[in-house]
PDB file of all heavy atoms in Angstrom:
ATOM      1  N   THR A  55      11.530  37.428 -33.146  1.00 90.00           N
ATOM      2  CA  THR A  55      12.264  36.764 -34.226  1.00 90.00           C
ATOM      3  C   THR A  55      11.585  37.015 -35.566  1.00 90.00           C
ATOM      4  O   THR A  55      12.242  37.317 -36.556  1.00 90.00           O
ATOM      5  CB  THR A  55      12.311  35.247 -33.976  1.00 90.00           C
ATOM      6  OG1 THR A  55      12.870  35.026 -32.696  1.00 90.00           O
ATOM      7  CG2 THR A  55      13.153  34.549 -35.030  1.00 90.00           C
ATOM      8  N   LEU A  59      13.662  38.950 -38.404  1.00 79.00           N
ATOM      9  CA  LEU A  59      14.211  38.164 -39.513  1.00 79.00           C
ATOM     10  C   LEU A  59      13.242  37.995 -40.670  1.00 79.00           C
ATOM     11  O   LEU A  59      13.569  37.389 -41.677  1.00 79.00           O
ATOM     12  CB  LEU A  59      14.659  36.791 -39.015  1.00 79.00           C
ATOM     13  CG  LEU A  59      15.791  36.859 -37.994  1.00 79.00           C
ATOM     14  CD1 LEU A  59      15.910  35.551 -37.251  1.00 79.00           C
ATOM     15  CD2 LEU A  59      17.103  37.210 -38.675  1.00 79.00           C
ATOM     16  N   PRO A  61       9.252  37.152 -42.381  1.00 85.00           N
ATOM     17  CA  PRO A  61       8.224  36.125 -42.255  1.00 85.00           C
ATOM     18  C   PRO A  61       8.600  34.804 -42.931  1.00 85.00           C
ATOM     19  O   PRO A  61       7.763  34.091 -43.408  1.00 85.00           O
ATOM     20  CB  PRO A  61       7.033  36.774 -42.947  1.00 85.00           C
ATOM     21  CG  PRO A  61       7.643  37.695 -43.945  1.00 85.00           C
ATOM     22  CD  PRO A  61       8.980  38.111 -43.433  1.00 85.00           C
ATOM     23  N   TYR A  62       9.907  34.476 -42.965  1.00 83.00           N
ATOM     24  CA  TYR A  62      10.301  33.240 -43.653  1.00 83.00           C
ATOM     25  C   TYR A  62       9.785  31.995 -42.931  1.00 83.00           C
ATOM     26  O   TYR A  62       9.837  30.902 -43.471  1.00 83.00           O
ATOM     27  CB  TYR A  62      11.820  33.162 -43.825  1.00 83.00           C
ATOM     28  CG  TYR A  62      12.512  32.755 -42.565  1.00 83.00           C
ATOM     29  CD1 TYR A  62      12.715  31.413 -42.279  1.00 83.00           C
ATOM     30  CD2 TYR A  62      12.908  33.701 -41.633  1.00 83.00           C
ATOM     31  CE1 TYR A  62      13.303  31.027 -41.090  1.00 83.00           C
ATOM     32  CE2 TYR A  62      13.482  33.327 -40.455  1.00 83.00           C
ATOM     33  CZ  TYR A  62      13.681  31.985 -40.191  1.00 83.00           C
ATOM     34  OH  TYR A  62      14.232  31.621 -39.008  1.00 83.00           O
ATOM     35  N   ILE A  65       6.464  28.479 -43.984  1.00 95.00           N
ATOM     36  CA  ILE A  65       7.329  27.563 -44.729  1.00 95.00           C
ATOM     37  C   ILE A  65       6.655  26.927 -45.941  1.00 95.00           C
ATOM     38  O   ILE A  65       7.318  26.387 -46.806  1.00 95.00           O
ATOM     39  CB  ILE A  65       7.906  26.452 -43.815  1.00 95.00           C
ATOM     40  CG1 ILE A  65       6.775  25.667 -43.154  1.00 95.00           C
ATOM     41  CG2 ILE A  65       8.837  27.058 -42.769  1.00 95.00           C
ATOM     42  CD1 ILE A  65       7.253  24.409 -42.469  1.00 95.00           C
ATOM     43  N   ALA A  66       5.322  26.959 -45.967  1.00 96.00           N
ATOM     44  CA  ALA A  66       4.584  26.356 -47.080  1.00 96.00           C
ATOM     45  C   ALA A  66       3.278  27.137 -47.227  1.00 96.00           C
ATOM     46  O   ALA A  66       2.919  27.895 -46.316  1.00 96.00           O
ATOM     47  CB  ALA A  66       4.315  24.876 -46.779  1.00 96.00           C
ATOM     48  N   PRO A  67       2.565  26.976 -48.347  1.00 96.00           N
ATOM     49  CA  PRO A  67       1.345  27.769 -48.525  1.00 96.00           C
ATOM     50  C   PRO A  67       0.379  27.604 -47.341  1.00 96.00           C
ATOM     51  O   PRO A  67      -0.078  26.498 -47.055  1.00 96.00           O
ATOM     52  CB  PRO A  67       0.746  27.212 -49.809  1.00 96.00           C
ATOM     53  CG  PRO A  67       1.928  26.704 -50.569  1.00 96.00           C
ATOM     54  CD  PRO A  67       2.869  26.170 -49.528  1.00 96.00           C
ATOM     55  N   HIS A  73       9.053  29.689 -34.066  1.00 95.00           N
ATOM     56  CA  HIS A  73       9.814  29.150 -32.944  1.00 95.00           C
ATOM     57  C   HIS A  73      10.876  30.157 -32.543  1.00 95.00           C
ATOM     58  O   HIS A  73      11.114  31.123 -33.264  1.00 95.00           O
ATOM     59  CB  HIS A  73      10.463  27.813 -33.313  1.00 95.00           C
ATOM     60  CG  HIS A  73      11.521  27.945 -34.375  1.00 95.00           C
ATOM     61  ND1 HIS A  73      12.856  28.033 -34.072  1.00 95.00           N
ATOM     62  CD2 HIS A  73      11.444  28.033 -35.716  1.00 95.00           C
ATOM     63  CE1 HIS A  73      13.546  28.157 -35.203  1.00 95.00           C
ATOM     64  NE2 HIS A  73      12.713  28.161 -36.217  1.00 95.00           N
ATOM     65  N   ALA A  74      11.516  29.945 -31.381  1.00 95.00           N
ATOM     66  CA  ALA A  74      12.634  30.791 -30.962  1.00 95.00           C
ATOM     67  C   ALA A  74      13.788  29.863 -30.573  1.00 95.00           C
ATOM     68  O   ALA A  74      13.848  28.727 -31.049  1.00 95.00           O
ATOM     69  CB  ALA A  74      12.214  31.722 -29.835  1.00 95.00           C
ATOM     70  N   PRO A  76      16.539  27.846 -27.754  1.00 96.00           N
ATOM     71  CA  PRO A  76      16.487  27.180 -26.443  1.00 96.00           C
ATOM     72  C   PRO A  76      16.628  28.167 -25.287  1.00 96.00           C
ATOM     73  O   PRO A  76      15.909  28.064 -24.284  1.00 96.00           O
ATOM     74  CB  PRO A  76      17.693  26.227 -26.485  1.00 96.00           C
ATOM     75  CG  PRO A  76      17.923  25.956 -27.928  1.00 96.00           C
ATOM     76  CD  PRO A  76      17.505  27.198 -28.661  1.00 96.00           C
ATOM     77  N   ASN A  98       4.534  37.222 -45.993  1.00 92.00           N
ATOM     78  CA  ASN A  98       5.339  36.339 -46.844  1.00 92.00           C
ATOM     79  C   ASN A  98       4.728  36.306 -48.247  1.00 92.00           C
ATOM     80  O   ASN A  98       3.600  35.849 -48.440  1.00 92.00           O
ATOM     81  CB  ASN A  98       5.368  34.934 -46.221  1.00 92.00           C
ATOM     82  CG  ASN A  98       6.248  33.974 -46.993  1.00 92.00           C
ATOM     83  OD1 ASN A  98       6.016  33.704 -48.167  1.00 92.00           O
ATOM     84  ND2 ASN A  98       7.258  33.442 -46.340  1.00 92.00           N
ATOM     85  N   GLU A 100       5.172  34.553 -50.885  1.00 91.00           N
ATOM     86  CA  GLU A 100       4.879  33.274 -51.535  1.00 91.00           C
ATOM     87  C   GLU A 100       3.735  32.518 -50.875  1.00 91.00           C
ATOM     88  O   GLU A 100       2.927  31.885 -51.554  1.00 91.00           O
ATOM     89  CB  GLU A 100       6.122  32.363 -51.515  1.00 91.00           C
ATOM     90  CG  GLU A 100       7.397  32.990 -52.048  1.00 91.00           C
ATOM     91  CD  GLU A 100       7.291  33.326 -53.519  1.00 91.00           C
ATOM     92  OE1 GLU A 100       6.461  32.695 -54.220  1.00 91.00           O
ATOM     93  OE2 GLU A 100       8.014  34.228 -53.960  1.00 91.00           O
ATOM     94  N   ASN A 101       3.729  32.526 -49.547  1.00 95.00           N
ATOM     95  CA  ASN A 101       2.924  31.525 -48.834  1.00 95.00           C
ATOM     96  C   ASN A 101       1.784  32.061 -47.968  1.00 95.00           C
ATOM     97  O   ASN A 101       1.085  31.309 -47.313  1.00 95.00           O
ATOM     98  CB  ASN A 101       3.843  30.639 -47.990  1.00 95.00           C
ATOM     99  CG  ASN A 101       4.816  29.848 -48.838  1.00 95.00           C
ATOM    100  OD1 ASN A 101       4.476  29.403 -49.931  1.00 95.00           O
ATOM    101  ND2 ASN A 101       6.026  29.682 -48.343  1.00 95.00           N
ATOM    102  N   PHE A 110       7.035  25.336 -32.360  1.00 97.00           N
ATOM    103  CA  PHE A 110       7.794  24.351 -31.582  1.00 97.00           C
ATOM    104  C   PHE A 110       8.792  24.994 -30.638  1.00 97.00           C
ATOM    105  O   PHE A 110       9.180  26.150 -30.772  1.00 97.00           O
ATOM    106  CB  PHE A 110       8.457  23.307 -32.480  1.00 97.00           C
ATOM    107  CG  PHE A 110       9.672  23.766 -33.254  1.00 97.00           C
ATOM    108  CD1 PHE A 110      10.927  23.793 -32.653  1.00 97.00           C
ATOM    109  CD2 PHE A 110       9.574  24.135 -34.579  1.00 97.00           C
ATOM    110  CE1 PHE A 110      12.051  24.185 -33.356  1.00 97.00           C
ATOM    111  CE2 PHE A 110      10.694  24.528 -35.297  1.00 97.00           C
ATOM    112  CZ  PHE A 110      11.940  24.561 -34.675  1.00 97.00           C
ATOM    113  N   ASP A 114      17.458  21.679 -27.657  1.00 94.00           N
ATOM    114  CA  ASP A 114      18.821  21.602 -28.190  1.00 94.00           C
ATOM    115  C   ASP A 114      18.701  21.404 -29.705  1.00 94.00           C
ATOM    116  O   ASP A 114      17.623  21.531 -30.252  1.00 94.00           O
ATOM    117  CB  ASP A 114      19.597  20.442 -27.539  1.00 94.00           C
ATOM    118  CG  ASP A 114      18.863  19.112 -27.678  1.00 94.00           C
ATOM    119  OD1 ASP A 114      18.309  18.845 -28.768  1.00 94.00           O
ATOM    120  OD2 ASP A 114      18.814  18.351 -26.706  1.00 94.00           O
ATOM    121  N   LYS A 115      19.817  21.061 -30.360  1.00 92.00           N
ATOM    122  CA  LYS A 115      19.756  20.931 -31.815  1.00 92.00           C
ATOM    123  C   LYS A 115      19.459  19.508 -32.273  1.00 92.00           C
ATOM    124  O   LYS A 115      19.521  19.204 -33.460  1.00 92.00           O
ATOM    125  CB  LYS A 115      21.070  21.412 -32.432  1.00 92.00           C
ATOM    126  CG  LYS A 115      21.218  22.919 -32.353  1.00 92.00           C
ATOM    127  CD  LYS A 115      22.083  23.497 -33.447  1.00 92.00           C
ATOM    128  CE  LYS A 115      21.885  25.005 -33.494  1.00 92.00           C
ATOM    129  NZ  LYS A 115      22.525  25.654 -34.609  1.00 92.00           N
ATOM    130  N   HIS A 118      14.620  17.349 -31.609  1.00 95.00           N
ATOM    131  CA  HIS A 118      13.446  17.591 -32.456  1.00 95.00           C
ATOM    132  C   HIS A 118      13.661  17.147 -33.908  1.00 95.00           C
ATOM    133  O   HIS A 118      12.782  17.345 -34.734  1.00 95.00           O
ATOM    134  CB  HIS A 118      13.052  19.068 -32.403  1.00 95.00           C
ATOM    135  CG  HIS A 118      14.070  20.002 -33.005  1.00 95.00           C
ATOM    136  ND1 HIS A 118      15.380  20.036 -32.606  1.00 95.00           N
ATOM    137  CD2 HIS A 118      13.971  20.930 -33.984  1.00 95.00           C
ATOM    138  CE1 HIS A 118      16.038  20.953 -33.317  1.00 95.00           C
ATOM    139  NE2 HIS A 118      15.206  21.501 -34.165  1.00 95.00           N
ATOM    140  N   ILE A 119      14.784  16.515 -34.203  1.00 95.00           N
ATOM    141  CA  ILE A 119      15.103  16.197 -35.597  1.00 95.00           C
ATOM    142  C   ILE A 119      14.161  15.142 -36.191  1.00 95.00           C
ATOM    143  O   ILE A 119      13.683  15.284 -37.323  1.00 95.00           O
ATOM    144  CB  ILE A 119      16.577  15.741 -35.719  1.00 95.00           C
ATOM    145  CG1 ILE A 119      17.515  16.879 -35.317  1.00 95.00           C
ATOM    146  CG2 ILE A 119      16.876  15.272 -37.140  1.00 95.00           C
ATOM    147  CD1 ILE A 119      17.418  18.119 -36.178  1.00 95.00           C
ATOM    148  N   LEU A 122      10.992  16.805 -36.979  1.00 95.00           N
ATOM    149  CA  LEU A 122      11.080  17.660 -38.170  1.00 95.00           C
ATOM    150  C   LEU A 122      10.931  16.827 -39.445  1.00 95.00           C
ATOM    151  O   LEU A 122      10.276  17.242 -40.399  1.00 95.00           O
ATOM    152  CB  LEU A 122      12.414  18.407 -38.213  1.00 95.00           C
ATOM    153  CG  LEU A 122      12.542  19.686 -37.381  1.00 95.00           C
ATOM    154  CD1 LEU A 122      13.932  20.288 -37.598  1.00 95.00           C
ATOM    155  CD2 LEU A 122      11.483  20.709 -37.737  1.00 95.00           C
ATOM    156  N   LYS A 123      11.546  15.645 -39.448  1.00 94.00           N
ATOM    157  CA  LYS A 123      11.381  14.752 -40.608  1.00 94.00           C
ATOM    158  C   LYS A 123       9.908  14.416 -40.782  1.00 94.00           C
ATOM    159  O   LYS A 123       9.386  14.397 -41.895  1.00 94.00           O
ATOM    160  CB  LYS A 123      12.161  13.444 -40.389  1.00 94.00           C
ATOM    161  CG  LYS A 123      13.633  13.561 -40.663  1.00 94.00           C
ATOM    162  CD  LYS A 123      14.289  12.189 -40.574  1.00 94.00           C
ATOM    163  CE  LYS A 123      15.791  12.361 -40.534  1.00 94.00           C
ATOM    164  NZ  LYS A 123      16.507  11.123 -40.234  1.00 94.00           N
ATOM    165  N   SER A 130       3.446  18.115 -46.184  1.00 93.00           N
ATOM    166  CA  SER A 130       3.419  18.039 -47.641  1.00 93.00           C
ATOM    167  C   SER A 130       2.328  17.084 -48.138  1.00 93.00           C
ATOM    168  O   SER A 130       2.180  16.876 -49.334  1.00 93.00           O
ATOM    169  CB  SER A 130       4.789  17.639 -48.187  1.00 93.00           C
ATOM    170  OG  SER A 130       5.176  16.396 -47.670  1.00 93.00           O
TER     171      SER A 130
ATOM    172  N   CYS B   7      18.712  29.630 -42.147  1.00 91.00           N
ATOM    173  CA  CYS B   7      17.463  30.247 -41.708  1.00 91.00           C
ATOM    174  C   CYS B   7      17.805  31.233 -40.620  1.00 91.00           C
ATOM    175  O   CYS B   7      18.988  31.526 -40.393  1.00 91.00           O
ATOM    176  CB  CYS B   7      16.433  29.215 -41.249  1.00 91.00           C
ATOM    177  SG  CYS B   7      16.840  28.352 -39.739  1.00 91.00           S
ATOM    178  N   GLY B   8      16.822  31.786 -39.972  1.00 87.00           N
ATOM    179  CA  GLY B   8      17.087  32.840 -39.006  1.00 87.00           C
ATOM    180  C   GLY B   8      17.818  32.353 -37.775  1.00 87.00           C
ATOM    181  O   GLY B   8      18.641  33.054 -37.209  1.00 87.00           O
ATOM    182  N   MET B   9      17.509  31.115 -37.353  1.00 87.00           N
ATOM    183  CA  MET B   9      18.054  30.654 -36.084  1.00 87.00           C
ATOM    184  C   MET B   9      18.836  29.359 -36.135  1.00 87.00           C
ATOM    185  O   MET B   9      19.498  28.997 -35.179  1.00 87.00           O
ATOM    186  CB  MET B   9      16.925  30.538 -35.069  1.00 87.00           C
ATOM    187  CG  MET B   9      16.614  31.878 -34.459  1.00 87.00           C
ATOM    188  SD  MET B   9      15.142  31.813 -33.480  1.00 87.00           S
ATOM    189  CE  MET B   9      13.978  31.618 -34.759  1.00 87.00           C
ATOM    190  N   GLY B  10      18.714  28.633 -37.234  1.00 88.00           N
ATOM    191  CA  GLY B  10      19.495  27.400 -37.343  1.00 88.00           C
ATOM    192  C   GLY B  10      18.862  26.199 -36.656  1.00 88.00           C
ATOM    193  O   GLY B  10      19.516  25.168 -36.474  1.00 88.00           O
ATOM    194  N   PHE B  11      17.575  26.321 -36.285  1.00 89.00           N
ATOM    195  CA  PHE B  11      16.921  25.207 -35.589  1.00 89.00           C
ATOM    196  C   PHE B  11      15.798  24.547 -36.385  1.00 89.00           C
ATOM    197  O   PHE B  11      15.558  23.359 -36.264  1.00 89.00           O
ATOM    198  CB  PHE B  11      16.319  25.685 -34.260  1.00 89.00           C
ATOM    199  CG  PHE B  11      17.317  25.822 -33.188  1.00 89.00           C
ATOM    200  CD1 PHE B  11      18.012  27.002 -33.037  1.00 89.00           C
ATOM    201  CD2 PHE B  11      17.590  24.770 -32.338  1.00 89.00           C
ATOM    202  CE1 PHE B  11      18.962  27.147 -32.054  1.00 89.00           C
ATOM    203  CE2 PHE B  11      18.534  24.891 -31.349  1.00 89.00           C
ATOM    204  CZ  PHE B  11      19.228  26.085 -31.202  1.00 89.00           C
ATOM    205  N   GLY B  12      15.082  25.361 -37.160  1.00 92.00           N
ATOM    206  CA  GLY B  12      13.871  24.839 -37.799  1.00 92.00           C
ATOM    207  C   GLY B  12      14.042  24.650 -39.283  1.00 92.00           C
ATOM    208  O   GLY B  12      14.327  23.554 -39.782  1.00 92.00           O
ATOM    209  N   THR B  13      13.896  25.763 -40.004  1.00 93.00           N
ATOM    210  CA  THR B  13      13.892  25.720 -41.455  1.00 93.00           C
ATOM    211  C   THR B  13      15.196  25.161 -42.036  1.00 93.00           C
ATOM    212  O   THR B  13      15.170  24.328 -42.937  1.00 93.00           O
ATOM    213  CB  THR B  13      13.646  27.138 -41.995  1.00 93.00           C
ATOM    214  OG1 THR B  13      12.440  27.624 -41.401  1.00 93.00           O
ATOM    215  CG2 THR B  13      13.498  27.152 -43.490  1.00 93.00           C
ATOM    216  N   MET B  15      17.239  23.143 -40.688  1.00 95.00           N
ATOM    217  CA  MET B  15      17.289  21.704 -40.386  1.00 95.00           C
ATOM    218  C   MET B  15      16.383  20.928 -41.340  1.00 95.00           C
ATOM    219  O   MET B  15      16.748  19.862 -41.842  1.00 95.00           O
ATOM    220  CB  MET B  15      16.834  21.434 -38.951  1.00 95.00           C
ATOM    221  CG  MET B  15      17.807  21.900 -37.911  1.00 95.00           C
ATOM    222  SD  MET B  15      19.162  20.725 -37.691  1.00 95.00           S
ATOM    223  CE  MET B  15      19.847  21.333 -36.160  1.00 95.00           C
ATOM    224  N   LEU B  16      15.172  21.478 -41.557  1.00 95.00           N
ATOM    225  CA  LEU B  16      14.235  20.842 -42.502  1.00 95.00           C
ATOM    226  C   LEU B  16      14.895  20.700 -43.870  1.00 95.00           C
ATOM    227  O   LEU B  16      14.837  19.636 -44.494  1.00 95.00           O
ATOM    228  CB  LEU B  16      12.997  21.721 -42.678  1.00 95.00           C
ATOM    229  CG  LEU B  16      11.739  21.459 -41.881  1.00 95.00           C
ATOM    230  CD1 LEU B  16      10.667  22.449 -42.310  1.00 95.00           C
ATOM    231  CD2 LEU B  16      11.232  20.051 -42.062  1.00 95.00           C
ATOM    232  N   LEU B  19      17.631  17.987 -43.948  1.00 96.00           N
ATOM    233  CA  LEU B  19      17.100  16.621 -43.965  1.00 96.00           C
ATOM    234  C   LEU B  19      16.607  16.245 -45.362  1.00 96.00           C
ATOM    235  O   LEU B  19      16.872  15.141 -45.855  1.00 96.00           O
ATOM    236  CB  LEU B  19      15.952  16.489 -42.947  1.00 96.00           C
ATOM    237  CG  LEU B  19      16.342  16.678 -41.469  1.00 96.00           C
ATOM    238  CD1 LEU B  19      15.096  16.859 -40.604  1.00 96.00           C
ATOM    239  CD2 LEU B  19      17.161  15.497 -40.972  1.00 96.00           C
ATOM    240  N   THR B  20      15.881  17.171 -45.999  1.00 96.00           N
ATOM    241  CA  THR B  20      15.327  16.876 -47.320  1.00 96.00           C
ATOM    242  C   THR B  20      16.431  16.763 -48.375  1.00 96.00           C
ATOM    243  O   THR B  20      16.428  15.848 -49.203  1.00 96.00           O
ATOM    244  CB  THR B  20      14.312  17.965 -47.733  1.00 96.00           C
ATOM    245  OG1 THR B  20      13.350  18.102 -46.695  1.00 96.00           O
ATOM    246  CG2 THR B  20      13.610  17.605 -49.032  1.00 96.00           C
ATOM    247  N   ASP B  39      22.529  29.526 -38.808  1.00 92.00           N
ATOM    248  CA  ASP B  39      21.677  30.703 -38.713  1.00 92.00           C
ATOM    249  C   ASP B  39      22.385  31.818 -39.476  1.00 92.00           C
ATOM    250  O   ASP B  39      23.614  31.817 -39.606  1.00 92.00           O
ATOM    251  CB  ASP B  39      21.406  31.091 -37.255  1.00 92.00           C
ATOM    252  CG  ASP B  39      22.644  31.538 -36.535  1.00 92.00           C
ATOM    253  OD1 ASP B  39      22.950  32.737 -36.568  1.00 92.00           O
ATOM    254  OD2 ASP B  39      23.328  30.663 -35.947  1.00 92.00           O
ATOM    255  N   LEU B  40      21.591  32.726 -39.976  1.00 89.00           N
ATOM    256  CA  LEU B  40      22.076  33.772 -40.872  1.00 89.00           C
ATOM    257  C   LEU B  40      23.282  34.524 -40.290  1.00 89.00           C
ATOM    258  O   LEU B  40      24.277  34.757 -40.974  1.00 89.00           O
ATOM    259  CB  LEU B  40      20.923  34.746 -41.143  1.00 89.00           C
ATOM    260  CG  LEU B  40      21.025  35.655 -42.342  1.00 89.00           C
ATOM    261  CD1 LEU B  40      21.205  34.861 -43.612  1.00 89.00           C
ATOM    262  CD2 LEU B  40      19.750  36.496 -42.436  1.00 89.00           C
ATOM    263  N   PRO B  54      15.281  29.991 -47.586  1.00 94.00           N
ATOM    264  CA  PRO B  54      13.906  30.333 -47.961  1.00 94.00           C
ATOM    265  C   PRO B  54      13.898  31.533 -48.903  1.00 94.00           C
ATOM    266  O   PRO B  54      14.757  32.415 -48.781  1.00 94.00           O
ATOM    267  CB  PRO B  54      13.241  30.718 -46.641  1.00 94.00           C
ATOM    268  CG  PRO B  54      14.143  30.226 -45.576  1.00 94.00           C
ATOM    269  CD  PRO B  54      15.517  30.142 -46.152  1.00 94.00           C
ATOM    270  N   MET B  55      12.934  31.559 -49.807  1.00 92.00           N
ATOM    271  CA  MET B  55      12.829  32.594 -50.834  1.00 92.00           C
ATOM    272  C   MET B  55      12.970  34.011 -50.280  1.00 92.00           C
ATOM    273  O   MET B  55      13.669  34.837 -50.835  1.00 92.00           O
ATOM    274  CB  MET B  55      11.463  32.432 -51.527  1.00 92.00           C
ATOM    275  CG  MET B  55      11.260  33.257 -52.761  1.00 92.00           C
ATOM    276  SD  MET B  55      12.402  32.860 -54.075  1.00 92.00           S
ATOM    277  CE  MET B  55      11.571  31.535 -54.940  1.00 92.00           C
ATOM    278  N   ASP B  56      12.317  34.303 -49.157  1.00 86.00           N
ATOM    279  CA  ASP B  56      12.320  35.705 -48.721  1.00 86.00           C
ATOM    280  C   ASP B  56      13.589  36.094 -47.949  1.00 86.00           C
ATOM    281  O   ASP B  56      13.657  37.161 -47.357  1.00 86.00           O
ATOM    282  CB  ASP B  56      11.039  36.067 -47.969  1.00 86.00           C
ATOM    283  CG  ASP B  56      10.910  35.361 -46.650  1.00 86.00           C
ATOM    284  OD1 ASP B  56      11.584  34.338 -46.456  1.00 86.00           O
ATOM    285  OD2 ASP B  56      10.132  35.830 -45.807  1.00 86.00           O
ATOM    286  N   MET B  57      14.607  35.251 -47.989  1.00 89.00           N
ATOM    287  CA  MET B  57      15.907  35.633 -47.430  1.00 89.00           C
ATOM    288  C   MET B  57      16.857  36.151 -48.502  1.00 89.00           C
ATOM    289  O   MET B  57      18.017  36.467 -48.220  1.00 89.00           O
ATOM    290  CB  MET B  57      16.544  34.435 -46.747  1.00 89.00           C
ATOM    291  CG  MET B  57      16.345  34.501 -45.273  1.00 89.00           C
ATOM    292  SD  MET B  57      17.317  33.315 -44.411  1.00 89.00           S
ATOM    293  CE  MET B  57      16.546  33.544 -42.824  1.00 89.00           C
ATOM    294  N   LYS B  72      10.672  28.147 -52.257  1.00 96.00           N
ATOM    295  CA  LYS B  72       9.374  28.740 -51.897  1.00 96.00           C
ATOM    296  C   LYS B  72       8.665  27.914 -50.833  1.00 96.00           C
ATOM    297  O   LYS B  72       8.257  28.402 -49.798  1.00 96.00           O
ATOM    298  CB  LYS B  72       8.444  28.766 -53.126  1.00 96.00           C
ATOM    299  CG  LYS B  72       8.744  29.857 -54.111  1.00 96.00           C
ATOM    300  CD  LYS B  72       7.683  29.820 -55.217  1.00 96.00           C
ATOM    301  CE  LYS B  72       8.197  30.563 -56.439  1.00 96.00           C
ATOM    302  NZ  LYS B  72       7.255  30.521 -57.547  1.00 96.00           N
ATOM    303  N   ASN B  73       8.487  26.618 -51.152  1.00 96.00           N
ATOM    304  CA  ASN B  73       7.758  25.726 -50.252  1.00 96.00           C
ATOM    305  C   ASN B  73       8.760  24.752 -49.641  1.00 96.00           C
ATOM    306  O   ASN B  73       9.268  23.858 -50.313  1.00 96.00           O
ATOM    307  CB  ASN B  73       6.680  24.986 -51.039  1.00 96.00           C
ATOM    308  CG  ASN B  73       5.868  24.051 -50.163  1.00 96.00           C
ATOM    309  OD1 ASN B  73       6.326  23.640 -49.087  1.00 96.00           O
ATOM    310  ND2 ASN B  73       4.666  23.716 -50.595  1.00 96.00           N
ATOM    311  N   LEU B  74       9.032  24.942 -48.351  1.00 96.00           N
ATOM    312  CA  LEU B  74      10.150  24.223 -47.714  1.00 96.00           C
ATOM    313  C   LEU B  74       9.827  22.785 -47.348  1.00 96.00           C
ATOM    314  O   LEU B  74      10.676  22.068 -46.832  1.00 96.00           O
ATOM    315  CB  LEU B  74      10.605  25.007 -46.483  1.00 96.00           C
ATOM    316  CG  LEU B  74      11.113  26.401 -46.896  1.00 96.00           C
ATOM    317  CD1 LEU B  74      10.786  27.445 -45.878  1.00 96.00           C
ATOM    318  CD2 LEU B  74      12.592  26.352 -47.187  1.00 96.00           C
ATOM    319  N   VAL B  75       8.585  22.357 -47.605  1.00 95.00           N
ATOM    320  CA  VAL B  75       8.275  20.934 -47.411  1.00 95.00           C
ATOM    321  C   VAL B  75       7.970  20.258 -48.749  1.00 95.00           C
ATOM    322  O   VAL B  75       7.531  19.111 -48.780  1.00 95.00           O
ATOM    323  CB  VAL B  75       7.115  20.703 -46.406  1.00 95.00           C
ATOM    324  CG1 VAL B  75       7.510  21.211 -45.030  1.00 95.00           C
ATOM    325  CG2 VAL B  75       5.821  21.365 -46.860  1.00 95.00           C
TER     326      VAL B  75
END
Side-chain angles (χ1 to χ4, degrees):
Chain A
T55 305
L59 297 163
Y62 78 89
I65 58 169
H73 66 97
N98 183 299
E100 308 296 336
N101 297 324
F110 74 82
D114 55 41
K115 288 207 166 188
H118 66 305
I119 297 298
L122 278 182
K123 280 186 193 171
S130 59
Chain B
C7 68
M9 278 171 290
F11 281 88
T13 305
M15 289 280 194
L16 264 182
L19 296 166
T20 307
D39 66 89
L40 198 57
M55 190 62 88
D56 67 341
M57 260 191 190
K72 283 184 199 178
N73 181 338
L74 298 145
V75 297

